[in-house]
Amino acid sequence: MDPVMNPYTPNAGAEPQAIVGRDDQLASFDLLLKRLARGKSEQSMIITGLRGVGKTVLLGQFRAKTLAAGWIVVELEVSKHDDAHFRREIASRLRAALFEISPKARWSAQLRRAAGALKSFTLSVDAMGNLQAGIDVDAIDGVADHGDLSMDLTDVLVELGEAARQHDKGVVLLFDEIQFLGQKQLEALIAALHKAVQRKVPLTLVGAGLPQIAELTGDAKSYSERLFKFPRIGDLNRADAYAALAKPAEDEGANFEEDALARAFDVTGGYPYFIQELGSAVWGAAVEAPITREDVENSVDVYTAKLDSSFFRVRLDRATEMQRAYMRAMAELGPEAQKAADVAEVMGRTSPQVAPTRAELINMGLLYTPDHGYAAFTVPHFDKFILRAIPELVVPAVRARKPRAAGSVD
């Protein structure tokens, strides 16, 4: 069928033509905004889930809802950086938020105070105040200038929230890949949000990240479980998966036979990104509607090759030889979360010997820890890909340490 009319979007973070199976999270966000607007507190959210389940798409929906309410959005895709870089990144976005609340010519005293707090916040990193170009306000002594990230960020966000309230607006921080925040950065954000809740300012943080973020926030601040809900999203059930395939096709005047939808569900397991990838392949393979089971079958090889060459391969290419061996050993044990000791045994090593490799893979976002002592892949079906890509398990030899010269010291 016409490739120009292909309604499927197998791209990272791209909004699918039909958003299904996420009504609970969208309703929770609506409730959060409405309660904050009335000066009431409400638990915020950190959406958790594996790669490709639609976390970023949900953040996009939250953004649209925030803007429709006339509120300000502060977006950040988190990457691993030191605290100084984090200050610069968040400060540049908060600076933009100040101008969105009100044009500078109409700034209230509170907005000027928020700008002064932000200048203090950045001056602790950049003595020239380069990020504050165009904000000719003085830094405020004793506000956001403590040299402590948690205290400084709390001052800035509370002042910004107060300014937004004066202008009948609110601020929503939308942070993606939140598991990559450093411990101090995460602690600072949680502490700042906690103070914002206490002051009843219309400012909140909504995040998205891999499943371990719930544990990380608990480790950062014990009260985080009272600040956030941690809804986990995953595979779509059969009815929603059928809708995710059928509705976009119907919008373009095509339809699936029931047997074709059933086969597509078996192939994808209801995994949202895989549905988009298979739908795109099927659209290219089908000659006319209705789309049949045979059309789906004829698309499976193309679908698998596309995942192998892009979605899966980019993850494997980042890994070292030892990291690949660790993942190959995990794949040999099956798709479920695997115990560290069992993986080590398959590799012919002890758990302490391979523990650093496991930690590296978790730090890279290729594995996560659903339970203590266990690890799982952050994308489904990755075990099958690893078995295809690495037919045999080969564990690199342990390099022997060079003997120390006589009389040397450590």
Side-chain angles (χ1 to χ4, degrees):
M1 292 190 284
D2 186 353
V4 175
M5 305 304 292
N6 192 327
Y8 302 99
T9 56
N11 299 301
E15 182 177 310
Q17 200 157 309
I19 297 176
V20 297
R22 305 300 183 229
D23 292 346
D24 289 347
Q25 292 77 39
L26 293 170
S28 290
F29 186 78
D30 286 339
L31 177 63
L32 173 64
L33 282 189
K34 290 175 181 178
R35 286 184 60 82
L36 287 176
R38 290 177 173 268
K40 298 181 181 296
S41 65
E42 177 67 20
Q43 282 182 303
S44 190
M45 288 187 292
I46 296 181
I47 307 294
T48 73
L50 303 184
R51 300 290 187 193
V53 295
K55 301 185 298 296
T56 302
V57 169
L58 265 179
L59 290 185
Q61 291 291 297
F62 298 160
R63 177 183 184 275
K65 287 177 177 290
T66 302
L67 295 176
W71 282 27
I72 310 303
V73 173
V74 176
E75 292 182 281
L76 177 64
E77 182 176 337
V78 177
S79 54
K80 292 182 179 180
H81 288 296
D82 60 25
D83 294 348
H85 185 97
F86 175 73
R87 276 186 186 256
R88 290 193 293 270
E89 275 204 308
I90 197 168
S92 65
R93 287 159 176 80
L94 295 179
R95 176 179 179 273
L98 287 173
F99 292 108
E100 290 186 57
I101 291 173
S102 175
K104 186 181 175 186
R106 297 202 300 269
W107 273 8
S108 63
Q110 179 58 50
L111 257 176
R112 294 186 68 84
R113 179 176 172 82
L118 185 57
K119 189 162 189 176
S120 295
F121 183 76
T122 57
L123 284 173
S124 63
V125 175
D126 186 349
M128 299 300 294
N130 290 331
L131 282 174
Q132 296 309 310
I135 301 184
D136 55 348
V137 298
D138 294 329
I140 304 174
D141 291 340
V143 178
D145 62 357
H146 312 286
D148 177 271
L149 180 61
S150 182
M151 296 173 67
D152 293 347
L153 186 59
T154 296
D155 285 351
V156 170
L157 293 186
V158 169
E159 295 295 346
L160 181 64
E162 294 281 9
R165 178 164 56 189
Q166 281 193 359
H167 289 76
D168 296 321
K169 296 179 183 292
V171 179
V172 178
L173 281 64
L174 296 176
F175 283 17
D176 203 0
E177 301 287 2
I178 201 168
Q179 76 279 351
F180 288 138
L181 287 170
Q183 184 175 359
K184 288 184 179 179
Q185 297 160 14
L186 186 57
E187 287 176 356
L189 276 170
I190 295 171
L193 181 60
H194 190 214
K195 185 61 68 175
V197 169
Q198 292 175 330
R199 296 287 180 84
K200 296 184 179 180
V201 296
L203 181 145
T204 193
L205 165 70
V206 177
L210 293 175
Q212 67 261 35
I213 189 58
E215 181 181 356
L216 293 175
T217 57
D219 292 342
K221 292 290 184 183
S222 60
Y223 53 74
S224 63
E225 68 217 26
R226 286 167 280 161
L227 283 176
F228 296 103
K229 301 171 185 175
F230 296 92
R232 179 165 180 174
I233 61 174
D235 298 341
L236 300 176
N237 61 34
R238 186 175 291 272
D240 287 337
Y242 282 19
L245 269 174
K247 286 183 178 179
E250 290 169 2
D251 290 344
E252 303 301 335
N255 65 296
F256 279 79
E257 292 182 350
E258 187 76 12
D259 203 30
L261 291 173
R263 179 56 183 147
F265 183 78
D266 291 341
V267 171
T268 63
Y271 186 63
Y273 180 80
F274 292 172
I275 289 172
Q276 296 301 311
E277 197 70 79
L278 181 61
S280 181
V282 170
W283 189 270
V287 176
E288 60 183 3
I291 296 169
T292 67
R293 183 186 181 95
E294 184 179 3
D295 291 328
V296 175
E297 292 288 1
N298 291 339
S299 306
V300 171
D301 287 346
V302 172
Y303 155 82
T304 302
K306 178 71 180 299
L307 289 176
D308 283 3
S309 64
S310 57
F311 185 74
F312 290 136
R313 173 59 61 179
V314 70
R315 289 165 170 78
L316 186 61
D317 286 348
R318 295 166 53 200
T320 66
E321 190 177 5
M322 180 59 80
Q323 290 166 354
R324 292 183 182 205
Y326 193 96
M327 292 190 290
R328 177 58 176 77
M330 279 186 63
E332 189 165 310
L333 291 169
E336 304 84 9
Q338 301 300 335
K339 194 173 182 180
D342 294 339
V343 179
E345 184 177 354
V346 171
M347 297 177 71
R349 302 285 170 82
T350 64
S351 290
Q353 286 177 321
V354 297
T357 302
R358 178 177 180 271
E360 291 164 0
L361 289 167
I362 293 170
N363 193 46
M364 293 166 66
L366 297 176
L367 303 180
Y368 75 101
T369 53
D371 293 296
H372 181 69
Y374 286 79
F377 294 117
T378 55
V379 293
H381 302 187
F382 196 66
D383 59 304
K384 297 176 183 178
F385 164 72
I386 288 289
L387 294 175
R388 292 193 297 270
I390 309 176
E392 295 184 11
L393 171 62
V394 178
V395 181
V398 178
R399 294 182 179 179
R401 294 182 63 183
K402 294 181 179 180
R404 289 178 296 172
S408 65
V409 293
D410 290 330

